[in-house]
Amino acid sequence: MTLMLGVSLAGREVLLVGGGLVTARRLRRFVDEGAVVRVVAPQLHPETARLVREHGATWHPCRFRARDLAGAWLVHVATGDAGTDSRVVGLCERRRVICISAGNGEHGSARMTAQLDTGDVTVAVTSTHGADPRRSAAVRDAIDDLIATGSLPLRRRRPARTGRVDLVGGGPGPADLMTVRARRLIAEADVIVTDRLGPAAEVMRGLDADVQVIDVGKRPGHHPVPQEEINRIIVEHATAGRRVVRLKGGDPFVFGRGGEEMQACLEAGVAVDVTPAPSSAIAVPQAAGIPVTHRGVASAFHVVNGQGAMEVSTLAAMADPTVTTVVLMGVAALPRIVSDALRHGVAADRPIAFVESGHTPQQRTTRSTLGRAVADAQQIGLRNPAVIVIGDVARAGLLLPDGPFVRAASA
Ligand code: SAH
């Protein structure tokens, strides 16, 4: 029988008896836990010696003696000699010190586990009869796979002492384009603050009923919740001890005002972190077979918010045949963008592509040229959300044959 305990070794002394590779492996684990590590062995394997040096562990270059046990909370023995291992196990037993024996001989009072840490949850696997480390590792890995799909109930049921905010990029839309970290953070969250462009509706549908979802519904021309209010909401919930996920479409730091939200958290002394994701600036053109860079065609790309004033750098990018210009939030401003570009001398036959609702079943790609862009956009009824790509990579037939491109159903 085995009782697994969540033992904290931080600042506590761990004695490793033996200087071989097993010791090296364990040394790293104990050091990671913050333990104060002491090694007793006549000689060290070079790898063990390196770790001892790197991690500031102490090494007593001698054979094990009973008095070495003094001060140790935990002993790990792997000398390669069954007799010595058993002697250490026996002594620990008498002195009531927890002991792990890696040798084939007598088992100590404790066993190592195959462990994984996810957020503030630790999962550990071991066997109750006869060690079987490979099975333990396999079980641990299977649990890890479940975590990756966001399907384990990882959310705290008891409020944490301190809350936090995660600014999480949800990617361009489909759940399988979200990162493993994004899925985990969503599964752990008490509060999710999201926009209409907040991706992966199916992920949101799987949430516990008591997870609070706040829709701050950003959409073009319609900002029901001002940015200062969003900042206030995330800070307030985190200060009350909740785990807050601020879920955004694409990447939080690409026209997502993630920087301002991070500043607000830092100013309020709230722990904050950012989880990146594929940005629509790259992922939406890509969904239409448009690479933002392509050898011999475009060697740089320039990403711009179409709502802003036309900067010199954007005009230069559009005029440069080696640069791709990617315009986000550019549907309403298209006529102005085009007329500024033409007035600046950008060629009227410069290719342009509109990619609407990228990575969704409604995705539509329209190819045009700068000169015809406004008329073509009007004719098709160009709608948000759309990414506008200007440059030779937008040319029909570059990668995909001209004509409608049908995404594979599994995407
Ligand atoms: N942080 C986001 C961008 C936010 S700005 C990111 O990194 O992707 C919102 C703009 O992104 C929209 O106006 C549109 O230009 C673009 N966009 C986002 N999702 C899109 C999609 N699925 N299809 C086309 N454009 C999209």
Side-chain angles (χ1 to χ4, degrees):
M1 295 226 294
T2 299
L3 175 67
M4 270 210 267
L5 296 173
V7 178
S8 166
L9 288 177
R12 308 213 154 102
E13 207 171 293
V14 172
L15 173 69
L16 302 180
V17 184
L21 276 174
V22 178
T23 293
R25 210 161 56 231
R26 300 291 156 77
L27 190 146
R28 199 177 288 125
R29 248 182 103 172
F30 291 129
V31 164
D32 286 347
E33 290 298 317
V36 178
V37 174
R38 200 152 46 89
V39 181
V40 173
Q43 283 130 26
L44 295 186
H45 184 280
E47 175 65 5
T48 318
R50 187 179 66 79
L51 289 171
V52 163
R53 263 196 321 277
E54 265 174 29
H55 295 291
T58 41
W59 172 38
H60 299 298
C62 52
R63 299 191 160 281
F64 171 81
R65 300 145 304 179
R67 65 170 189 269
D68 291 325
L69 291 182
W73 288 71
L74 177 69
V75 172
H76 179 276
V77 56
T79 63
D81 173 63
T84 309
D85 287 359
S86 297
R87 190 163 76 83
V88 174
V89 168
L91 263 169
C92 286
E93 198 62 28
R94 286 201 289 285
R95 302 271 180 97
R96 303 179 187 189
V97 181
I98 302 275
C99 180
I100 302 161
S101 172
N104 292 328
E106 218 172 316
H107 282 302
S109 50
R111 278 217 176 105
M112 294 302 288
T113 61
Q115 186 173 325
L116 73 86
D117 300 294
T118 170
D120 64 348
V121 171
T122 294
V123 176
V125 183
T126 192
S127 315
T128 47
H129 292 99
D132 192 349
R134 282 171 59 193
R135 178 184 62 181
S136 297
V139 173
R140 187 248 342 256
D141 293 345
I143 295 172
D144 208 17
D145 289 345
L146 288 175
I147 290 171
T149 65
S151 53
L152 288 189
L154 287 171
R155 196 166 58 84
R156 283 191 81 96
R157 303 303 140 113
R158 208 184 261 192
R161 254 170 300 171
T162 52
R164 55 173 292 124
V165 172
D166 281 281
L167 308 176
V168 175
D176 59 356
L177 285 179
M178 292 178 99
T179 63
V180 170
R181 191 184 302 176
R183 297 293 298 263
R184 171 173 67 75
L185 290 169
I186 290 169
E188 290 171 359
D190 303 307
V191 180
I192 299 181
V193 181
T194 181
D195 308 319
R196 188 195 56 147
L197 282 183
E202 65 188 273
V203 172
M204 304 298 284
R205 274 198 295 274
L207 297 171
D208 279 0
D210 53 348
V211 176
Q212 197 180 343
V213 178
I214 304 173
D215 182 359
V216 290
K218 280 192 186 168
R219 57 208 92 175
H222 184 242
H223 286 241
V225 182
Q227 187 62 46
E228 297 67 41
E229 180 67 5
I230 297 174
N231 296 352
R232 198 191 57 71
I233 291 170
I234 59 177
V235 165
E236 189 178 285
H237 283 287
T239 308
R242 297 183 195 111
R243 295 279 307 256
V244 181
V245 162
R246 171 71 177 110
L247 181 61
K248 292 161 176 292
D251 184 273
F253 277 8
V254 178
F255 301 130
R257 304 191 72 170
E260 290 159 67
E261 292 169 3
M262 184 160 188
Q263 266 167 346
C265 292
L266 293 173
E267 275 162 24
V270 166
V272 59
D273 204 356
V274 188
T275 299
S279 170
S280 60
I282 296 170
V284 169
Q286 185 187 71
I290 300 173
V292 290
T293 70
H294 192 63
R295 209 173 159 78
V297 179
S299 56
F301 62 101
H302 179 85
V303 182
V304 62
N305 172 0
Q307 292 172 330
M310 186 65 81
E311 304 287 350
V312 176
S313 59
T314 302
L315 290 168
M318 287 195 289
D320 187 334
T322 69
V323 176
T324 303
T325 303
V326 180
V327 186
L328 304 188
M329 296 175 278
V331 170
L334 183 70
R336 179 175 53 77
I337 294 167
V338 168
S339 67
D340 283 356
L342 292 172
R343 201 157 359 99
H344 187 70
V346 182
D349 65 352
R350 194 107 167 90
I352 186 167
F354 309 121
V355 188
E356 297 165 87
S357 300
H359 287 288
T360 74
Q362 291 76 39
Q363 179 177 321
R364 176 170 71 159
T365 309
T366 308
R367 319 268 183 173
S368 181
T369 60
L370 207 57
R372 292 196 331 258
V374 175
D376 284 351
Q378 202 162 25
Q379 205 217 323
I380 62 162
L382 179 65
R383 295 230 323 243
N384 277 303
V387 169
I388 301 168
V389 187
I390 303 161
D392 284 346
V393 292
R395 203 175 66 221
L398 178 74
L399 296 183
L400 298 174
D402 205 359
F405 165 52
V406 182
R407 289 192 67 77
S410 71

